[in-house]
Amino acid sequence: MIDYDPATIETKWQSAWNDVKAFESEVDPSRPKFYCLEMFPYPSGKMHMGHVRNYSIGDSMARFRRLAGYNVLYPMGYDSFGMPAENAARKIGGHPHDVTWSNIESIRSDLTRMGFSYDWRRELATSDSAYYRWNQWIFLKFHEMGLVERRTAPTNWCDSCDTVLANEQVKNNRCWRCNGEVRQKHFPSWYLKMTTYADQLLDDLEHIGFPENVKAMQRNWIGRSHGAEIHFPIVDSADSIKAFTTRPDSIFGVTFVTLAPEHPLCNTLVEGTEFEADFRELADECAKISEFDRMNMLRDKKGVFLGRYATNPLTGEAVPIYAGNFVVASYGTGAVMAVPGHDQRDHDFAKKYDIPISQVLSEEDGKEPKVTGRAFEGLGWMVNSKRPDFDGLYGDDAKAAVIAALEKEGMGAGTIQYRLKDWLLSRQRFWGTPIPFIHCDDCGVIPVPESDLPVELPLDVVFTEGQSGNPLASHDGFVNTTCPNCNLAAKRETDTMDTFYDSSWYFLRFADALNQSAPFDKSNADYWLEGGVDLYIGGIEHAVMHLLYARFFTKALRDAGLNDVSEPFSRLVCQGMVNAPTPFCKTCNVEYHVDLDGQKCPICDESLGSRSAKMSKSLGNTVSPETMIGKYGADTVRLFILFGANPEAGMDWSDSAIDSNYRQMKAIHSALIQGIDNSSESGIMDEWLLARVRLVRNNWVDRMSNVGLRDGVMISHFEMVADWQWAQRRGGISASTAREYLTTWIPMLYPATPHLAEEMWEMLGMDTMLALSNLDLHDASGVDIQDTIVLGQEEYLRRVIERARSVRELAERHTDGDLSAIIIQTAQEWKVELASKAIQMHNDAFDFKQGGNKFLQTQECFQDEDMKGDVMQYWRSIVVGQKKRRGRIHTWGEKESTLVSSEFDEVGFILENIPFIATVLDIETVEVYRAGEGEDVAGKARTSLPLEPGIAWR
């Protein structure tokens, strides 16, 4: 028999696919399309198994859809701008361009060796000027649409990365990339006005196939709040504080007003007063904390009195004005009306600073508020309103009444606020898309003419270790230019774009990646993205960054007339991580690099243990695909990845598991060769094997169609092998049946292990490679009644053998001598007959609830007084007549239900197969009889249902 040689097979078919351009795709309106895409990689070095998992999922689905007749777009590119390449260049004294392209070559080599079926013509890299030229073109288009703004505002600054960060890139007051501390810093910066699309971004979540947790994260981030803007005039001043609240019904309980330290009124109120010093100290402290953390993570709510008072517009009462560290300038108006009776944060603050607390909402209609020592934050009935016509109002009616009064008196209005902020795009780094604007002393800040695009990054910049700042700012050749309006000397903008900008539209570029005159052609984009990318695969960590930005871009480009698509992604699959062991200190709760394996914790000096952690270069716990491919082949690696866990679940790397999968691949190869070499003219298992493949193929198609890759692989790579091996043990099959079986089985192997499948397909004598085949995968005829009977009989035999083995283990523990015989008892004939009738009645929609007992009373077995109790108990066991399941047939499954019929003689069937049973169980004596017709040695092992044989050993 031919040995399994993955290295030879895989290189052969990768070359063959390349020669015929098997995976190149073009627009074809006559065929259904399937756009499959993974979040493209950042080229920081070689791939590891985490990458392989992502791409194996996508490649399997792309191949499956091609096989099913879809026109598949499956491209690959590189998210190649970013700080790691810049930092790497500093270490080696090189240029980010060289570092990046070297890494791209390495990753491309790994992708090719895995055999992924990309349309390589569409390959792109975001750091290529052929791509970022269109970044700049789109930026200018957004500027024309009023979606670009340059303004000075507090920004999140990371000293370690030497750049500003968007709000979405700050986690727990730390940089998302380097984990360094983030502080506030004022900069003139470029913004994209995402808030223009806040409502669309929120409302359209209802119509896309994102996991619910991703939708929840985006809803929370957008944070739409309905409420009121209320004006609090400052006593003895023409100024007024505008405060946003979602609870205008609590306005009569306002006892102070709190401003964000960044609020411009703070300086006005305290400048030159005795309160200025305390305010400056608080403001400096807040400047070191991100707005996100001030809103969500603060434990100590602090504030300072600003020495002035504001007037409650509906009561006329003067309330003190504070600055508080928990109020941020960018949310709402940067001012909060504080109601300590009905907001716990305000309650704690009031207690701390001895501010009055008023309760103006009651939990019960007509009663005074309860005194609990805590704020009542729910909706309640208005009380103590100090103005007529408000007390007794509740919920939305109360809110509406307050808003109406404010609007009537010109002291406020109903409004909507959002947690979402405009996208801070500027980065003070080199390795990113240059922002296409010019600073002219006479003309101001003006856009670069479209004809001058791209504004390219210089390749002669020198990077050195310890260098800080943006090299563009000191590169005369880049900075110095001429104003396109007045032709006088001018300076280029030296900020570059956030790299998330690059990935916010790359899926549209893939639709028309060879286009040199536009970012993409509208008709191509509308064809491939109709309904969105059909399957998008990536990590949930991008839920409120990349995924939200991409949705914004798609809508904005739609409004620019570039496409008709409103949502970029139809279905999102957030793949789980591949984990591997890494040193871990339980005391410090810190993971360490694998170089510290077996050593002491650098912090507490305790011995390090180990735990499973996400594969990452920083921990060094990665596994090289190149090494695994060299040892086992790409198909085995793919099988291990796909069989290890469902796509959304995490999985652990296991050397023993991949070795086991290699053995399975060899077993599959052996079975296929055996089938191809089969020359038998007949086979007793022909009918069963063909019935089995009809059933299994439809199950496989259903699983694969729903991205159930683990279940699909279980069927194609494990169940199908087991079925083949069972058929061989039971007596074999004919050559014609073997060919028919392989003709169905080999295409099922193709999505997960395409190289082996192509090799076996060719050996079977097929002229067209699977990569170019469109097959009718789903058998519309399905499994008929004869198939079900045949399958059920064989399943019954398996059950007899499995039950015999389990009982044997028990018998051996309680028997001193050797076991020499097995006794098999089958159900009494009346049980089989009664179950058969019940199933037929069920198929005829018989109402068991109304007529079940009447039917039973007419049966011969029920007439015997000694048997009535047993018959009634048995009837109840097959017809469930209680609660939700009243009137249903007991669920055995299709195979068993069909077999409970007068056509199936359990005793006869077992007698026919005694030689096989004896061989499998390695026993000489097998006795078979119906329960009640002989010594009931197996009675205790039986259940009351037919098709559940009683077994005993002696």
Side-chain angles (χ1 to χ4, degrees):
M1 182 175 287
I2 301 172
D3 291 334
Y4 177 47
D5 181 4
T8 301
I9 292 173
E10 289 167 7
T11 54
K12 167 187 172 180
W13 286 104
Q14 288 167 12
S15 177
W17 294 329
N18 187 61
D19 289 343
V20 299
K21 301 178 180 179
F23 309 124
E24 295 182 3
S25 53
E26 301 293 347
V27 170
D28 183 357
S30 68
R31 298 169 61 197
K33 65 91 181 178
F34 186 79
Y35 187 174
C36 182
L37 186 64
E38 307 103 1
M39 295 182 185
F40 60 172
Y42 179 78
S44 59
K46 288 185 174 293
M47 287 203 313
H48 59 66
M49 284 298 167
H51 300 112
V52 171
R53 185 180 194 198
N54 198 5
Y55 311 139
S56 294
I57 294 168
D59 184 70
S60 296
M61 289 306 302
R63 290 180 184 272
F64 170 72
R65 291 298 185 183
R66 288 194 195 96
L67 208 57
Y70 285 78
N71 185 23
V72 174
L73 174 60
Y74 185 44
M76 173 50 69
Y78 312 95
D79 192 10
S80 51
F81 268 140
M83 197 168 51
E86 196 169 331
N87 291 340
R90 295 183 196 280
K91 290 181 180 178
I92 64 174
H95 194 284
H97 175 274
D98 301 325
V99 172
T100 298
W101 284 101
S102 174
N103 290 340
I104 286 175
E105 293 293 337
S106 174
I107 290 178
R108 186 191 294 118
S109 175
D110 288 341
L111 293 170
T112 302
R113 183 60 188 87
M114 282 296 300
F116 295 136
S117 58
Y118 296 121
D119 182 350
W120 284 107
R121 297 173 308 152
R122 299 174 187 264
E123 181 185 31
L124 59 82
T126 59
S127 59
D128 187 339
S129 61
Y131 182 87
Y132 70 73
R133 165 193 181 184
W134 301 114
N135 276 353
Q136 296 169 342
W137 186 91
I138 291 170
F139 190 80
L140 296 179
K141 180 65 67 175
F142 285 169
H143 182 259
E144 292 174 11
M145 297 167 64
L147 293 176
V148 172
E149 185 176 21
R150 188 172 188 265
R151 61 176 183 260
T152 298
T155 60
N156 304 305
W157 179 263
C158 175
D159 287 314
S160 298
C161 296
D162 205 21
T163 192
V164 298
L165 304 171
N167 287 339
E168 294 85 352
Q169 295 167 341
V170 179
K171 308 296 181 187
N172 299 331
N173 203 43
R174 301 227 166 235
C175 172
W176 74 285
R177 185 180 295 279
C178 73
N179 205 38
E181 187 174 347
V182 172
R183 62 187 178 90
Q184 297 292 290
K185 191 173 182 178
H186 281 72
F187 265 110
S189 301
W190 295 91
Y191 290 81
L192 283 180
K193 299 172 73 173
M194 280 184 69
T195 50
T196 305
Y197 288 85
D199 285 324
Q200 290 187 47
L201 290 169
L202 184 62
D203 295 339
D204 289 353
L205 283 171
E206 301 301 322
H207 311 301
I208 56 178
F210 281 13
E212 283 304 316
N213 58 338
V214 174
K215 289 185 179 182
M217 292 167 73
Q218 290 206 4
R219 288 190 190 102
N220 180 62
W221 193 261
I222 296 167
R224 182 167 62 195
S225 300
H226 295 264
E229 182 179 275
I230 302 177
H231 303 169
F232 290 81
I234 298 175
V235 176
D236 298 329
S237 171
D239 292 321
S240 184
I241 296 171
K242 297 177 180 179
F244 172 76
T245 179
T246 60
R247 296 297 304 274
D249 54 327
S250 67
I251 188 171
F252 293 102
V254 174
T255 58
F256 63 102
V257 175
T258 313
L259 303 179
E262 302 88 358
H263 197 293
L265 279 175
C266 288
N267 281 321
T268 302
L269 296 177
V270 301
E271 192 169 17
T273 72
E274 61 185 288
F275 305 99
E276 183 174 7
D278 288 345
F279 166 72
R280 299 294 178 203
E281 182 179 344
L282 178 70
D284 291 344
E285 183 179 303
C286 290
K288 299 175 182 178
I289 308 173
S290 73
E291 289 190 349
F292 177 88
D293 287 327
R294 282 167 54 194
M295 292 173 66
N296 298 283
M297 308 298 290
L298 281 180
R299 293 183 180 179
D300 185 19
K301 308 297 192 294
K302 296 172 63 175
V304 293
F305 178 49
L306 299 181
R308 301 290 294 276
Y309 293 83
T311 303
N312 184 321
L314 293 190
T315 67
E317 296 175 340
V319 296
I321 304 171
Y322 281 76
N325 63 354
F326 56 90
V327 184
V328 298
S330 63
Y331 181 74
T333 62
V336 171
M337 67 172 216
V339 187
H342 303 288
D343 182 283
Q344 192 58 44
R345 180 192 60 183
D346 295 343
H347 187 278
D348 295 341
F349 192 92
K351 285 284 190 180
K352 182 174 183 177
Y353 294 102
D354 198 23
I355 301 172
I357 297 174
S358 297
Q359 293 179 281
V360 295
L361 295 171
S362 175
E363 297 176 57
E364 299 181 61
D365 189 15
K367 296 185 178 181
E368 285 298 308
K370 297 177 181 178
V371 179
T372 63
R374 293 187 60 80
F376 166 55
E377 297 185 315
L379 294 176
W381 284 264
M382 294 182 72
V383 295
N384 304 325
S385 300
K386 301 178 183 178
R387 283 182 65 162
D389 303 326
F390 286 100
D391 282 359
L393 294 177
Y394 176 87
D396 290 341
D397 291 338
K399 294 177 183 180
V402 172
I403 291 172
L406 291 168
E407 291 177 344
K408 181 179 180 180
E409 298 177 21
M411 300 304 291
T415 187
I416 301 173
Q417 291 284 348
Y418 300 88
R419 186 173 180 269
L420 178 72
K421 302 304 168 191
D422 289 335
W423 180 1
L424 172 56
L425 195 71
S426 296
R427 297 295 179 270
Q428 291 68 46
R429 304 295 299 188
F430 173 84
W431 198 231
T433 299
I435 292 177
F437 271 77
I438 292 171
H439 298 263
C440 174
D441 290 339
D442 291 339
C443 302
V445 183
I446 59 173
V448 171
E450 184 180 327
S451 58
D452 290 346
L453 299 180
V455 178
E456 295 192 66
L457 293 168
L459 297 180
D460 58 349
V461 173
V462 177
F463 287 81
T464 59
E465 188 84 47
Q467 183 182 33
S468 63
N470 182 359
L472 283 179
S474 57
H475 191 284
D476 291 340
F478 177 84
V479 172
N480 296 321
T481 187
T482 301
C483 174
N485 286 357
C486 66
N487 291 322
L488 296 178
K491 302 285 186 182
R492 290 195 188 279
E493 173 64 63
T494 59
D495 282 359
T496 54
M497 297 183 191
D498 179 4
T499 54
F500 277 104
Y501 185 103
D502 311 333
S503 58
S504 294
W505 70 281
Y506 77 110
F507 45 88
L508 285 160
R509 179 62 178 173
F510 274 141
D512 195 17
L514 303 181
N515 194 329
Q516 297 183 14
S517 60
F520 49 85
D521 180 78
K522 183 176 183 295
S523 62
N524 285 10
D526 288 344
Y527 171 78
W528 287 116
L529 280 101
E530 181 180 3
V533 172
D534 297 278
L535 180 61
Y536 194 45
I537 307 161
I540 195 172
E541 66 271 18
H542 296 299
V544 292
M545 291 192 287
H546 163 61
L547 292 173
L548 194 59
Y549 296 149
R551 295 183 61 226
F552 159 66
F553 253 72
T554 303
K555 295 176 187 301
L557 291 173
R558 174 204 61 196
D559 292 347
L562 271 69
N563 55 267
D564 291 335
V565 182
S566 293
E567 286 289 341
F569 313 118
S570 172
R571 178 171 183 178
L572 172 69
V573 170
C574 296
Q575 93 284 353
M577 302 301 177
V578 179
N579 304 314
T582 194
F584 173 70
C585 178
K586 186 175 182 180
T587 302
C588 301
N589 194 31
V590 175
E591 295 163 351
Y592 289 102
H593 194 278
V594 293
D595 288 346
L596 293 180
D597 187 31
Q599 299 183 31
K600 301 252 185 203
C601 174
I603 299 174
C604 69
D605 204 38
E606 290 190 13
S607 296
L608 292 175
S610 177
R611 79 171 178 184
S612 188
K614 173 188 171 183
M615 279 191 183
S616 67
K617 295 181 179 70
S618 61
L619 292 176
N621 64 338
T622 60
V623 175
S624 166
E626 187 177 14
T627 302
M628 294 298 107
I629 293 170
K631 185 175 181 181
Y632 299 109
D635 277 349
T636 296
V637 173
R638 294 164 64 111
L639 179 60
F640 164 76
I641 287 291
L642 296 173
F643 183 64
N646 291 322
E648 297 86 352
M651 63 176 293
D652 291 328
W653 174 260
S654 168
D655 292 334
S656 61
I658 193 169
D659 194 63
S660 175
N661 279 273
Y662 182 57
R663 292 194 299 272
Q664 186 68 17
M665 287 296 297
K666 291 196 290 186
I668 294 169
H669 179 266
S670 296
L672 294 170
I673 295 297
Q674 184 183 33
I676 292 168
D677 291 344
N678 189 327
S679 58
S680 300
E681 294 184 1
S682 63
I684 65 171
M685 294 300 290
D686 284 3
E687 188 179 11
W688 174 81
L689 191 62
L690 294 180
R692 179 70 182 155
V693 79
R694 282 190 287 272
L695 173 69
V696 166
R697 176 176 57 182
N698 286 351
N699 290 342
W700 176 79
V701 170
D702 290 341
R703 303 300 191 279
M704 293 294 292
S705 298
N706 198 37
V707 201
L709 289 169
R710 188 184 188 281
D711 291 341
V713 165
M714 170 65 84
I715 293 170
S716 59
H717 288 69
F718 292 86
E719 288 186 20
M720 295 289 282
V721 182
D723 289 345
W724 176 270
Q725 293 169 342
W726 177 261
Q728 303 306 315
R729 294 174 68 190
R730 288 279 286 123
I733 59 173
S734 66
S736 61
T737 293
R739 182 173 181 81
E740 186 173 346
Y741 186 78
L742 297 188
T743 301
T744 300
W745 183 18
I746 293 173
M748 293 168 64
L749 296 169
Y750 173 73
T753 53
H755 308 90
L756 175 64
E758 289 281 22
E759 182 72 7
M760 296 297 101
W761 195 245
E762 183 185 62
M763 290 185 67
L764 196 60
M766 300 299 184
D767 295 330
T768 304
M769 65 174 64
L770 287 167
L772 300 177
S773 298
N774 295 331
L775 304 179
D776 184 9
L777 295 179
H778 205 292
D779 185 354
S781 63
V783 177
D784 60 22
I785 187 66
Q786 183 58 35
D787 284 343
T788 308
I789 292 174
V790 170
L791 292 170
Q793 289 174 341
E794 211 60 30
E795 181 64 25
Y796 178 73
L797 181 59
R798 286 186 176 185
R799 183 175 303 157
V800 169
I801 293 171
E802 289 170 2
R803 189 168 181 82
R805 283 173 172 156
S806 63
V807 174
R808 182 180 201 165
E809 294 176 2
L810 180 64
E812 286 175 338
R813 289 199 295 268
H814 295 85
T815 303
D816 295 332
D818 294 333
L819 300 175
S820 59
I822 181 175
I823 298 92
I824 303 174
Q825 285 184 334
T826 66
Q828 294 98 320
E829 191 169 355
W830 67 265
K831 287 188 177 182
V832 177
E833 183 180 350
L834 195 60
S836 177
K837 290 179 179 179
I839 288 169
Q840 184 59 51
M841 293 159 67
H842 174 66
N843 293 337
D844 294 339
F846 180 80
D847 188 343
F848 287 91
K849 182 180 178 181
Q850 293 295 325
N853 288 337
K854 290 182 180 179
F855 163 79
L856 185 62
Q857 291 169 11
T858 67
Q859 299 305 296
E860 183 179 347
C861 58
F862 194 75
Q863 309 311 313
D864 188 329
E865 290 295 331
D866 293 335
M867 291 179 58
K868 273 189 177 181
D870 288 342
V871 173
M872 182 63 74
Q873 181 181 3
Y874 176 66
W875 178 253
R876 288 173 177 169
S877 73
I878 60 175
V879 179
V880 180
Q882 298 172 350
K883 297 182 180 178
K884 295 181 180 179
R885 302 182 66 180
R886 179 175 297 276
R888 294 187 187 176
I889 291 292
H890 182 91
T891 305
W892 296 310
E894 292 183 6
K895 304 167 193 170
E896 299 177 73
S897 299
T898 304
L899 276 178
V900 181
S901 67
S902 56
E903 300 172 15
F904 180 56
D905 176 11
E906 290 181 274
V907 173
F909 182 73
I910 295 175
L911 289 173
E912 289 175 9
N913 290 286
I914 280 179
F916 180 72
I917 294 172
T919 300
V920 171
L921 297 176
D922 191 23
I923 194 76
E924 292 184 3
T925 304
V926 180
E927 299 178 19
V928 185
Y929 51 84
R930 288 192 182 279
E933 295 179 359
E935 181 185 359
D936 191 18
V937 295
K940 292 184 178 179
R942 288 192 50 76
T943 68
S944 61
L945 295 177
L947 298 184
E948 200 64 53
I951 304 289
W953 288 81
R954 65 183 179 193

